[in-house]
Amino acid sequence: MHPAAVEQNFRVRAERLTGWGAVLLGVTMLLWCYAAWQVFTSDRDWQRPVTALVLATPLATAGGVLLATGMTATRLRRHHDDLERAARD
């Protein structure tokens, strides 16, 4: 496989990880807003907001890990490219 294709695949995977992480964190945010809305507007029925928060916890964890992994991979690749460019100059 050509090095440019390998590089392109790496960048696409990193962007996909970042995108999935952002989506999961967005869903988590919606669940947190729903839980807060239930707490402040209902008759203190704790089952629904606690369920939303329990569902949000693994989503937030997975989203944070995916977002951090994708962003770190992209940033390290840029750093590596900058080092190679500096070595050539």
Side-chain angles (χ1 to χ4, degrees):
M1 189 178 243
H2 194 272
V6 172
E7 181 68 24
Q8 181 65 25
N9 287 341
F10 179 84
R11 290 183 191 268
V12 167
R13 279 193 314 260
E15 290 172 4
R16 190 177 307 132
L17 286 174
T18 304
W20 274 107
V23 166
L24 289 177
L25 288 174
V27 171
T28 300
M29 181 198 64
L30 291 174
L31 287 170
W32 286 341
C33 290
Y34 173 77
W37 178 71
Q38 285 292 316
V39 167
F40 293 121
T41 61
S42 67
D43 297 328
R44 302 290 187 218
D45 179 21
W46 292 102
Q47 183 178 1
R48 288 183 180 163
V50 169
T51 301
L53 292 175
V54 166
L55 290 174
T57 301
L59 290 177
T61 303
V65 167
L66 289 174
L67 186 73
T69 301
M71 291 180 79
T72 301
T74 302
R75 183 63 193 127
L76 285 175
R77 182 60 70 179
R78 282 191 206 135
H79 177 68
H80 184 272
D81 292 345
D82 290 345
L83 287 176
E84 284 182 347
R85 198 173 307 117
R88 279 185 267 147
D89 292 342

